[in-house]
Amino acid sequence: MSDDPSAKLRANLRGTLIERNDPGYDDARKLYNGMIDKRPSLIARCLDVADVIAAVDFGRDNDLRIAIRGGGHNGPGLASVDDGLVIDLSTMRGVRVDPAARTVRVAAGCTQGDVDHATHPFGLAVPAGIISTTGIAGLTLSGGHGYLSRKYGLTIDNLLEADVVLADGRFVTASKDKNADLFWALRGGGGNFGVVTSFKFALHPVSTVFAGPIAWDQKHARIIMQRYREFLPAAPEDLGIFLGLKTVLSCAPFPQELWGKRICLLMCCYNGTEERAKAALAPLLDSLPAPWFNWMATMPYPAVQSMFDGLYPKDMQWYWRGDFVKTLPDSAIDAHLEQAAKTPSELSLMHLYPIDGAVHRVASGETAWNCRDATWSMVIAGIDPNPQNAGPITRWTKAYWEAVHPFDLGGAYPNFMMDDEGDARLQATYGDNYPRLALVKSKYDPANLFRVNQNIRPSVA
Ligand SMILES: Cc1cc2nc3c(=O)[nH]c(=O)nc-3n(C[C@H](O)[C@H](O)[C@H](O)COP(=O)(O)OP(=O)(O)OC[C@H]3O[C@@H](n4cnc5c(N)ncnc54)[C@H](O)[C@@H]3O)c2cc1C
């Protein structure tokens, strides 16, 4: 018998238990956002469902605060916890495609890149986000939007089934027919209800796309934002198109004469041929001045999904704020332009991602994700490699958000929230769905074991 309290967990794991004095500890606790520096007591790197059950049981029985880690990309670093237990799924990476049924089973530690890599040879894809290193688990559980959402919906709209280890250690499957209340809550309610060990998604035909960025001098941003606002409702749903206010990075492949210049960008991904893409974009592009560059080209879908990876490596400083946006009046555009002109670093940005098309065809009560009537999910992100710039990028992000928030809806995409925004923001985000989420939480996690997240507190029925 050992006096070491973690020995029991170590003995029950096929994966690795990493403790503070272990050589790999600093590497294992590192998150994508370099602004977050948490020191968990234990990191249980799980290999299978049995490991996850052992870790949940150990954490609960020893009163440890538990964080769940998928891809580790979460803005406020909710994949880790000071002095607690991290259930790290990042080595559970299997993907199995069923091309005949057009479904894919994805282990919870997969990144989006893992999923795209496995589905692309079959000419199929799951709608997800725009950076391949993002974890599929955290992205899915809070919604998941990207280039394919206008046509095929959010990632949760394509979720068919999830395997979950609950707070009491039980393993259940949630789907429309099994534990339907849990399945409803998992589609947008985040990591509140248990540890998801695998997801089953519907796949769609996506193979070669015509995609890439188009960038203009930011002095044209007003007209671009106006025309984009008018163009979007009638634009074909095969066209994913988000708008960004950004800066040209001072590095290849950007032309040196543009380095450091502020731009308005339309990032496009058309699921179809070049000819059709050009026809789809013509009404918009023909009404705008000539861009500084238009790099749209034919490419495999995974290429556009990983196009930004190299520009946003792990360990930079990130501070985020988001909002759901319904309309973009000229006064809101003016507020955007005033703030975007003050970006404190080349990487800092504002993006408007469309929330329309197929996303609007799902009723807001059908999944926990409530804001189906928004037109965009906006993110403002202060980003810089230098930790000394953490203050300036944070202040800029908050000031920008305060200037545009009066034009926006009350809630935001939970995956674009930090952990300093308060319960009222989360309640505004879930709206009418919040009380139902609190009830599902009280059924599946009454003691709020899973609270290192955008937390929904259990309510009593
Ligand atoms: C560079 C970048 C680009 C992004 N682009 C997009 C985008 O295009 N579209 C979009 O929708 N989002 C985007 N996001 C946001 C992204 O969805 C969130 O950061 C998300 O939390 C990442 O998931 P993860 O698994 O990597 O996170 P993690 O940090 O590992 O986990 C985040 C939280 O999710 C929960 N969680 C994770 N895994 C599980 C699990 N298996 N079971 C239960 N709960 C779990 C936990 O509460 C955890 O705290 C982007 C983020 C970054 C950093």
Side-chain angles (χ1 to χ4, degrees):
M1 294 294 287
S2 162
D3 290 337
D4 173 5
S6 54
K8 186 172 168 220
L9 178 56
R10 190 183 297 277
N12 281 333
L13 288 183
R14 283 211 133 191
T16 320
L17 186 67
I18 303 164
E19 300 189 58
R20 283 201 174 138
N21 293 330
D22 289 339
Y25 175 76
D26 279 329
D27 200 38
R29 74 187 177 86
K30 213 166 227 173
L31 298 169
Y32 180 80
N33 186 354
M35 204 184 267
I36 315 287
D37 184 24
K38 292 188 181 173
R39 300 185 66 80
S41 311
L42 299 168
I43 300 168
R45 210 162 248 178
C46 300
L47 275 192
D48 56 18
V49 174
D51 279 1
V52 175
I53 293 172
V56 169
D57 286 345
F58 183 85
R60 183 194 59 240
D61 295 346
N62 290 280
D63 278 333
L64 291 173
R65 294 214 307 149
I66 294 176
I68 310 167
R69 177 178 182 139
H73 259 230
N74 181 263
L78 294 171
S80 189
V81 56
D82 279 322
D83 305 319
L85 167 68
V86 175
I87 299 181
D88 180 346
L89 307 167
S90 62
T91 43
M92 292 171 62
R93 301 285 273 267
V95 184
R96 184 178 184 278
V97 181
D98 182 340
R102 287 202 175 164
T103 61
V104 61
R105 169 70 67 178
V106 177
C110 286
T111 62
Q112 285 182 190
D114 294 335
V115 182
D116 288 334
H117 172 78
T119 60
H120 182 66
F122 300 97
L124 298 168
V126 181
I130 63 153
I131 299 247
S132 87
T133 53
T134 308
I136 199 78
L139 174 128
T140 299
L141 293 169
S142 287
H145 53 60
Y147 300 117
L148 304 178
S149 297
R150 300 190 68 231
K151 176 89 180 242
Y152 298 120
L154 300 170
T155 312
I156 48 168
D157 299 334
N158 294 281
L159 182 63
L160 301 172
E161 197 174 281
D163 287 342
V164 191
V165 175
L166 300 174
D168 60 9
R170 273 183 306 139
F171 173 82
V172 296
T173 295
S175 68
K176 278 208 163 114
D177 306 319
K178 291 178 233 161
N179 301 299
D181 52 354
L182 178 61
F183 186 58
W184 175 84
L186 289 175
R187 285 175 293 157
N192 274 283
F193 305 97
V195 183
V196 175
T197 54
S198 81
F199 301 88
K200 184 177 172 188
F201 295 106
L203 290 164
H204 299 281
V206 183
S207 179
T208 301
V209 294
F210 189 70
I214 312 174
W216 290 260
D217 186 336
Q218 207 174 90
K219 74 178 187 204
H220 300 304
R222 194 164 205 277
I223 185 82
I224 297 165
M225 291 176 87
Q226 288 170 334
R227 294 283 153 81
Y228 172 67
R229 164 186 85 189
E230 286 143 22
F231 164 79
L232 196 61
E237 290 180 4
D238 278 316
L239 178 67
I241 175 166
F242 75 80
L243 182 141
L245 296 177
K246 306 166 73 103
T247 305
V248 178
L249 303 184
S250 298
C251 61
F254 303 103
Q256 201 161 350
E257 66 276 13
L258 296 183
W259 286 4
K261 296 235 185 320
R262 292 203 164 87
I263 49 170
C264 180
L265 177 120
L266 290 174
M267 180 63 206
C268 308
C269 174
Y270 186 86
N271 182 21
T273 62
E274 173 175 354
E275 195 187 355
R276 281 174 178 267
K278 286 184 168 161
L281 276 162
L284 177 61
L285 298 186
D286 290 351
S287 72
L288 295 174
W292 268 343
F293 57 85
N294 178 343
W295 286 345
M296 287 189 76
T298 299
M299 62 188 76
Y301 178 65
V304 66
Q305 286 291 86
S306 53
M307 190 175 273
F308 294 114
D309 290 5
L311 304 179
Y312 298 101
K314 193 175 173 174
D315 211 21
M316 296 202 293
Q317 308 287 301
W318 287 72
Y319 189 86
W320 306 68
R321 279 284 163 102
D323 262 343
F324 285 121
V325 179
K326 196 170 172 98
T327 56
L328 195 62
D330 288 350
S331 44
I333 292 176
D334 289 342
H336 275 283
L337 298 184
E338 193 184 334
Q339 299 304 318
K342 299 178 196 162
T343 30
S345 68
E346 285 189 351
L347 286 157
S348 297
L349 55 83
M350 188 286 299
H351 285 174
L352 283 170
Y353 299 104
I355 299 295
D356 61 356
V359 185
H360 284 191
R361 290 194 283 276
V362 177
S364 65
E366 216 171 293
T367 61
W369 211 86
N370 183 55
C371 274
R372 299 272 178 183
D373 59 342
T375 311
W376 291 279
S377 170
M378 176 194 71
V379 67
I380 304 159
I383 312 166
D384 196 78
N386 184 351
Q388 288 183 335
N389 287 336
I393 62 171
T394 301
R395 285 192 289 278
W396 172 79
T397 305
K398 286 182 177 171
Y400 191 145
W401 181 82
E402 272 155 25
V404 297
H405 181 63
F407 301 100
D408 301 342
L409 299 175
Y413 180 34
N415 269 336
F416 291 161
M417 286 184 184
M418 294 303 272
D419 56 357
D420 56 359
E421 298 190 43
D423 275 359
R425 276 283 271 172
L426 211 54
Q427 292 192 20
T429 295
Y430 289 113
D432 293 345
N433 287 343
Y434 192 89
R436 188 170 162 196
L437 274 166
L439 278 176
V440 179
K441 176 79 172 174
S442 58
K443 177 173 170 191
Y444 289 96
D445 182 16
N448 204 5
L449 182 71
F450 302 113
R451 61 186 177 280
V452 183
N453 45 39
Q454 300 293 353
N455 195 228
I456 293 156
R457 294 201 179 78
S459 69
V460 179

